[in-house]
């Protein structure tokens, strides 16, 4: 495989800049869950795109932010480790937003790494005006305007990334699309439904753990534990006459059935682990410390 290229691209940015939307658009498959809630992505999720002359390993990172809890510090650490270990950084910014303190926070980190940085301007509004402003902030190796939602200019972005990847054999089998196993992805689907249906503190306080998985014939039986950090959140998550948890379960069951290609019976339980987001051992136990 002469001149074959392969390498790691860290997709970084503020919470809600469109990192997961971009990853799914590039891979033409849902690899990372999406919602409009900050810190939807908690783990570094690799999406693998294999072409005949290049393998791109995209690492979708948690949004870098000013942490309020230990969990936030761990999420930032996950994002930083991806930036340190990659061949090129793809910094995605929302083209409709002005440069803010969150951006200067990321910029400070980027400046210490001395790696190629591609600025990805996401969206269609006021791009030219913003572009000129961003060019003054840092000497980017490349700037690529895209729309992750409309899948605009993604081929150009791939071409630019390829220019920064080293020559080398593919690191993953061609058919592999993600480095996370099916169990992780099933739990993430349940968490995504919770993010869509709940508000305030709940989306940030939830962890989902697979307790049991059993296949009988063409039917998959799943039991998952939803962990929250306060008793009051448990009540909201279950809802009046268990209406909320039922609605989450039915939505998740439907998507899991499509994903697994068989009927799914999903049971959800809710448990309170007081203040778990500040306990390092709990964060590790729930698989959130990469």
């Amino acid at each position: 495989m002469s001149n074959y290229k392969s390498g790691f691209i860290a997709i970084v940015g503020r919470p809600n800049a469109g990192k997961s939307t971009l990853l799914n658009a590039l891979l033409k498959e849902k690899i990372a869950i999406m919602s409009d809630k900050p810190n939807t992505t908690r783990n570094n999720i690799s999406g693998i795109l294999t072409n005949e002359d290049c393998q791109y390993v995209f690492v979708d990172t948690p949004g870098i932010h000013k942490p309020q809890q230990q969990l936030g510090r761990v999420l930032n650490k996950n994002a930083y480790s991806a930036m340190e270990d990659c061949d090129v950084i793809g910094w995605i910014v929302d083209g409709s937003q002005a440069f803010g303190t969150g951006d200067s926070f990321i910029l400070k980190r980027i400046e210490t790494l001395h790696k190629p940085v591609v600025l990805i301007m996401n969206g269609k509004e006021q791009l030219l005006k913003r572009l000129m402003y961003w060019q003054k902030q840092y000497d980017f190796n490349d700037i690529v305007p895209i729309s992750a939602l409309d899948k605009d200019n993604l081929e150009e972005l791939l071409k630019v990334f390829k220019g920064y990847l080293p020559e080398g054999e593919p690191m993953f089998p061609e058919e592999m699309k993600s480095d996370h196993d099916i169990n992780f992805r099933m739990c993430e689907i349940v968490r995504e439904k919770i993010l869509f249906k709940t508000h305030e503190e709940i989306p940030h306080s939830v962890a989902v753990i697979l307790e049991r998985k059993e296949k009988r014939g063409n039917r998959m039986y799943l039991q998952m534990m939803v962990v929250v950090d306060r008793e009051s959140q448990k009540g909201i998550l279950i809802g009046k006459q268990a209406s909320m948890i039922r609605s989450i379960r039915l939505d998740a069951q439907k998507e899991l059935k499509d994903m697994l290609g068989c009927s799914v019976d999903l049971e959800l339980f809710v448990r309170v682990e007081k203040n778990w987001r500040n306990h390092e051992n709990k964060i590790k136990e729930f698989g959130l410390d990469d």
Side-chain angles (χ1 to χ4, degrees), residues 3-32:
N3 297 338
Y4 195 92
K5 290 187 149 198
S6 68
F8 288 87
I9 300 147
I11 306 289
V12 304
R14 274 156 68 172
N16 267 5
K19 295 179 295 296
S20 298
T21 308
L22 174 62
L23 181 75
N24 293 340
L26 286 164
L27 283 134
K28 301 184 176 72
E29 192 177 313
K30 184 173 173 181
I31 298 294

Side-chain angles (χ1 to χ4, degrees), residues 205-253:
S205 311
V206 162
V208 180
I209 302 146
L210 180 65
E211 302 257 281
R212 185 166 159 258
K213 172 181 157 190
E214 194 183 324
K215 189 152 190 207
R216 293 184 223 143
N218 197 33
R219 211 169 188 84
M220 182 72 84
Y221 293 86
L222 301 170
Q223 273 185 359
M224 293 191 194
M225 183 64 72
V226 179
V227 179
V228 290
D229 62 9
R230 285 209 297 278
E231 205 63 51
S232 57
Q233 293 164 350
K234 181 178 177 176
I236 295 166
L237 198 52
I238 290 170
K240 268 198 185 121
Q241 295 172 314
S243 58
M244 175 62 87
I245 200 77
R246 181 173 181 271
S247 158
I248 290 163
R249 182 176 66 80
L250 292 175
D251 276 15
Q253 215 165 244

Side-chain angles (χ1 to χ4, degrees), residues 131-144:
L131 209 64
M132 289 164 76
Y133 182 82
W134 276 91
Q135 277 172 322
K136 293 176 191 158
Q137 302 305 313
Y138 185 76
D139 185 14
F140 294 102
N141 297 73
D142 270 290
I143 298 179
V144 184

Side-chain angles (χ1 to χ4, degrees), residues 103-209:
D103 296 304
S104 53
F105 193 62
I106 295 170
L107 191 55
K108 280 194 184 83
R109 195 77 194 196
I110 278 175
E111 283 169 340
T112 66
L113 294 171
H114 311 293
K115 283 183 186 279
V117 183
V118 176
L119 182 71
I120 307 164
M121 299 286 290
N122 187 25
K124 291 179 171 173
E125 294 167 46
Q126 300 178 300
L127 272 194
L128 267 174
K129 198 172 119 191
R130 298 261 188 252
L131 209 64
M132 289 164 76
Y133 182 82
W134 276 91
Q135 277 172 322
K136 293 176 191 158
Q137 302 305 313
Y138 185 76
D139 185 14
F140 294 102
N141 297 73
D142 270 290
I143 298 179
V144 184
I146 63 145
S147 167
L149 213 51
D150 299 332
K151 303 180 174 61
D152 276 357
N153 215 25
L154 299 188
E155 285 306 318
E156 178 59 27
L157 183 62
L158 286 175
K159 212 156 62 184
V160 168
F161 278 144
K162 188 181 167 188
Y164 297 103
L165 297 183
E167 285 192 12
E169 300 290 306
M171 291 172 283
F172 296 95
E174 195 179 324
E175 65 282 357
M176 199 167 161
K177 288 287 184 81
S178 173
D179 64 339
H180 277 286
D181 68 9
I182 198 91
N183 293 356
F184 172 85
R185 289 169 72 186
M186 291 192 305
C187 290
E188 284 286 89
I189 282 169
V190 172
R191 193 165 67 86
E192 182 184 61
K193 304 312 166 205
I194 295 168
L195 295 181
F196 272 121
K197 289 174 184 285
T198 60
H199 307 286
E200 309 301 327
E201 240 327 71
I202 288 181
H204 308 286
S205 311
V206 162
V208 180
I209 302 146

Side-chain angles (χ1 to χ4, degrees), residues 257-270:
K257 181 186 174 186
D258 293 342
M259 180 180 159
L260 299 170
C262 66
S263 297
V264 172
D265 281 337
L266 172 65
E267 277 188 284
L268 294 177
F269 302 93
V270 184

Side-chain angles (χ1 to χ4, degrees), residues 72-103:
R73 285 187 279 279
V74 166
L75 298 190
N76 277 356
K77 188 189 80 179
N78 290 349
Y80 296 152
S81 72
M83 288 162 78
E84 280 155 22
D85 296 340
C86 71
D87 297 292
V88 52
I89 295 168
W91 182 6
I92 184 168
V93 298
D94 182 340
S96 65
Q97 304 273 314
F99 185 91
T101 48
D103 296 304

